[in-house]
Amino acid sequence: MINRFRCIPVALLIASACPAAFAATVPAGTQLAEKQEIVRHIKDEPASLDPVKAVGLPEIPVIRDLFEGLTNQDAQGNIVPGVALSWQSNDNKSWIFTLRKDARWSNGDPVTASDFVWSWRRLVDPQNTASFAWFAELAGIENAAAITKGELPADKLGVTALDNYHLKVTLTKPVPYFPSLAASFAFYPTPQRVIEQLGANWTKPGNLVGNGAYVLQERVVNEKLVLTRNPQYWDNAHSVLDKVTFLPISEESSATKRYRAGDIDITESFPKNLYQMLKQQIPNEVYTPDQLGTYYYAFNTEKGPTADVRVRKALSWSIDRHIIAEKVLGTGEKPAWHFTPDITAGFQPKASILQQHSQAELNAQAKALLAAAGYGPGKPLSLTLLYNKSENNEKIAIAVASMWKKNLGVNVKLQNQEWKTYIDSRTSGNFDVIRASWVGDYNEPSTFLSLLTSRHNGNIARFKDANYDSILEMASNETRPKARNDDYNQAEQILADQAPIAPIYQYTNGRLIKPWVKGYPITNAEDVAYSRELYIEKH
């Protein structure tokens, strides 16, 4: 029996049965460029290069090059070996990973099972306030929830080194797709000895010790991060790129200009208003496949006007998602009627109220809801809409603010902040409405819906609903696909009724890629791309 993650048998998982996809696969006869160097755009300055301190998309592409987990993804999103050569389980609760003996840290030390034990304990230890500590609980690792609450010490986590090269992971429930979760950057190993010796300085150039295909050579904040080949990487012989430079640029137009000037080889995005022109001028360099991600607005459910569910529903209902997706963006994005994207594996959504009414009807109902909450011409609602600095974020915010003003008479103050300041505001709850997004860590509805459980670190809206938590818990223990899908639809219905967030559109993986750059896994719905897979053709 094979579950939805291809190459992964439910009862016994042996990774070596899957097709290998470790580093670049260069077709026979390909002429490689003499200079194997690439420049990649990222959307902002990384908050941290420590996997435990990472908070979002800007840093993850860099971290994927500097570190490697037990498993990786191939171009289609299938799980393939990483540090682990194979893995097995007879009940989907107790997993044993067999590590490769040639895995090395960039300083030459061997990567062992104990490194993963220490790193995963570090992830859940509340003293480290890891942004993705919730991921261990979501994965069902024994005692993760109690440890993150501070009820148990980190050494009680259900992960054990049987010896140097065998790691045992004990779960509280059957999770047949656990090897997929093990590919997440949250579960990357980090070097204990280096961190204990250097403290917070361990991620600086010259100090950072990783186990990925590249090492950090140089970092100029807000300008560039330069990575070079890690000769200690176990599959270094099959990497092709010698140097990877990441440029943090928040403005899509600036990144696109530099791309067209030849300064950048791959962009993370491009201005939506340039799509038609780019398609005409450089059609073979424009890519917009569906991506496993949702762009949404989160409402502050604890304080301010948006603590009232009637206000939240009114604001959500009066957003014309068709206009946002088709007019403001217009590069294949789809309106988001649910938080969980349509392309999510194993999800069959029921039609939401947003799909069952015309926009005019939704606007009328929204106006009535706002009036019931005490707002109207004599007392207009005023609020602040916060977003991190980006042209697309600004365009969407302007469009939504206009809709709220026209349909509901709401006065909206737009506020944009640089990524790190925005993260501080988000963490402290200093907002009324805030722009947010989520790209799945794995291809299953719980990667989205778990985000709004009451104890989740990523619950930006600070939404708390015991029934919602209970349904997600039931779904996590459900082995029947139809029953689990029913649970997920119940969870989506609660989100529709309580409106802690307003899903706006489903992502496409819109980017520009130079024609001589080969190996980018554009078909990977989670947009997992390792630089070691890439190479430059002669041009």
Side-chain angles (χ1 to χ4, degrees):
M1 179 181 178
I2 304 292
N3 75 352
R4 60 186 169 277
F5 293 92
R6 287 170 289 177
C7 297
I8 305 181
V10 169
L12 179 65
L13 282 89
I14 304 295
S16 55
C18 296
F22 305 127
T25 303
V26 182
T30 299
Q31 286 191 296
L32 293 173
E34 184 176 339
K35 191 176 182 181
Q36 289 295 319
E37 299 181 0
I38 200 168
V39 180
R40 297 179 60 177
H41 162 224
I42 51 176
K43 290 187 176 181
D44 225 316
E45 176 67 24
S48 175
L49 297 180
D50 183 343
V52 162
K53 300 296 183 182
V55 296
L57 292 176
E59 49 266 20
I60 293 173
V62 187
I63 289 173
R64 284 195 184 114
D65 281 355
L66 296 172
F67 300 90
E68 181 174 62
L70 293 170
T71 59
N72 294 319
Q73 289 191 23
D74 69 10
Q76 286 72 45
N78 299 314
I79 295 303
V80 295
V83 175
L85 275 171
S86 63
W87 47 91
Q88 61 183 31
S89 177
N90 292 319
D91 58 3
N92 293 318
K93 288 181 66 177
S94 179
W95 292 87
I96 295 178
F97 290 82
T98 300
L99 278 56
R100 59 178 72 252
K101 294 183 179 179
D102 55 349
R104 292 279 185 277
W105 292 102
S106 54
N107 63 3
D109 292 344
V111 177
T112 67
S114 296
D115 290 320
F116 284 91
V117 173
W118 184 81
S119 301
W120 291 12
R121 287 176 178 175
R122 181 171 175 257
L123 173 71
V124 297
D125 189 333
Q127 291 186 9
N128 293 321
T129 61
S131 299
F132 281 78
W134 57 269
F135 200 73
E137 180 180 349
L138 174 72
I141 300 178
E142 188 177 64
N143 294 327
I147 295 168
T148 57
K149 288 179 187 175
E151 297 171 356
L152 284 176
D155 61 9
K156 297 297 182 183
L157 189 68
V159 55
T160 308
L162 301 179
D163 56 38
N164 280 346
Y165 299 105
H166 289 91
L167 180 73
K168 182 179 180 181
V169 183
T170 304
L171 309 181
T172 58
K173 58 191 177 185
V175 182
Y177 50 88
F178 183 78
S180 293
L181 306 186
S184 169
F185 75 92
F187 286 149
Y188 285 175
T190 48
Q192 178 179 1
R193 184 166 57 84
V194 175
I195 294 172
E196 289 177 344
Q197 178 183 346
L198 299 177
N201 291 322
W202 83 273
T203 57
K204 292 183 176 180
N207 292 348
L208 194 151
V209 171
N211 70 320
Y214 295 88
V215 294
L216 181 65
Q217 180 187 65
E218 181 184 3
R219 182 177 185 181
V220 181
V221 174
N222 291 319
E223 184 178 325
K224 63 181 177 179
L225 298 97
V226 181
L227 279 57
T228 54
R229 287 268 284 274
N230 173 14
Q232 298 291 340
Y233 180 59
W234 66 269
D235 201 29
N236 180 52
H238 292 104
S239 296
V240 178
L241 294 179
D242 295 316
K243 182 178 177 181
V244 183
T245 301
F246 289 94
L247 302 185
I249 304 172
S250 61
E251 300 293 341
E252 289 93 342
S253 60
S254 298
T256 301
K257 285 178 183 176
R258 294 191 64 175
Y259 173 89
R260 302 208 70 181
D263 297 336
I264 293 174
D265 298 300
I266 304 174
T267 70
E268 279 287 286
S269 58
F270 54 81
K272 303 300 182 180
N273 64 312
L274 298 182
Y275 176 67
Q276 295 301 331
M277 182 194 75
L278 292 169
K279 283 292 289 182
Q280 287 181 346
Q281 296 182 359
I282 50 172
N284 296 329
E285 301 174 42
V286 181
Y287 296 86
T288 58
D290 289 337
Q291 186 180 0
L292 190 70
T294 301
Y295 186 108
Y296 67 99
Y297 281 168
F299 301 115
N300 193 326
T301 62
E302 289 187 330
K303 62 183 181 181
T306 54
D308 189 324
V309 64
R310 296 168 297 186
V311 171
R312 300 197 299 266
K313 289 170 80 168
L315 294 171
S316 178
W317 290 3
S318 58
I319 297 173
D320 190 328
R321 289 157 173 83
H322 279 294
I323 288 180
I324 299 296
E326 297 162 16
K327 305 296 183 184
V328 177
L329 300 171
T331 56
E333 292 83 0
K334 300 173 185 174
W337 310 120
H338 307 85
F339 187 32
T340 309
D342 294 344
I343 64 169
T344 309
F347 183 53
Q348 298 295 324
K350 291 183 178 179
S352 79
I353 190 172
L354 298 172
Q355 294 168 281
Q356 297 171 19
H357 296 273
S358 69
Q359 191 59 50
E361 291 170 333
L362 290 170
N363 290 342
Q365 293 183 54
K367 197 169 185 178
L369 279 168
L370 207 58
Y375 298 99
K379 184 187 175 184
L381 171 64
S382 297
L383 52 79
T384 298
L385 171 54
L386 173 63
Y387 57 93
N388 57 298
K389 192 175 181 182
S390 152
E391 287 163 274
N392 285 335
N393 291 342
E394 183 174 31
K395 285 171 61 180
I396 293 166
I398 290 170
V400 170
S402 176
M403 293 171 188
W404 287 345
K405 181 65 174 179
K406 178 183 177 183
N407 301 329
L408 303 174
V410 177
N411 298 319
V412 183
K413 177 185 176 183
L414 298 181
Q415 183 179 16
N416 76 77
Q417 295 177 341
E418 297 292 344
W419 178 250
K420 289 184 179 180
T421 307
Y422 158 86
I423 291 296
D424 289 341
S425 298
R426 192 174 82 177
T427 303
S428 63
N430 187 23
F431 63 88
D432 294 321
V433 186
I434 187 169
R435 173 265 164 192
S437 63
W438 187 252
V439 175
D441 290 296
Y442 54 97
N443 199 346
E444 209 270 345
S446 59
T447 190
F448 290 90
L449 296 173
S450 65
L451 205 66
L452 288 157
T453 50
S454 58
R455 290 188 49 255
H456 198 303
N457 290 357
N459 187 345
I460 300 169
R462 305 187 180 196
F463 175 60
K464 293 180 176 61
D465 186 290
N467 191 28
Y468 184 85
D469 290 352
S470 176
I471 288 170
L472 264 293
E473 179 63 26
M474 280 195 331
S476 72
N477 289 289
E478 182 57 71
T479 57
R480 298 166 298 166
K482 184 182 182 304
R484 187 165 57 247
N485 188 69
D486 289 343
D487 289 341
Y488 290 145
N489 272 302
Q490 283 189 58
E492 287 282 3
Q493 187 58 53
I494 292 174
L495 296 185
D497 293 339
Q498 296 298 317
I501 63 169
I504 297 177
Y505 71 87
Q506 302 174 53
Y507 274 122
T508 54
N509 185 8
R511 66 179 66 248
L512 304 173
I513 304 176
K514 293 293 186 184
W516 49 81
V517 174
K518 302 299 180 182
Y520 195 93
I522 202 69
T523 53
N524 187 303
E526 296 170 61
D527 194 30
V528 174
Y530 311 99
S531 294
R532 56 183 160 75
E533 297 176 328
L534 310 180
Y535 59 95
I536 308 295
E537 277 188 335
K538 188 176 181 179
H539 58 282

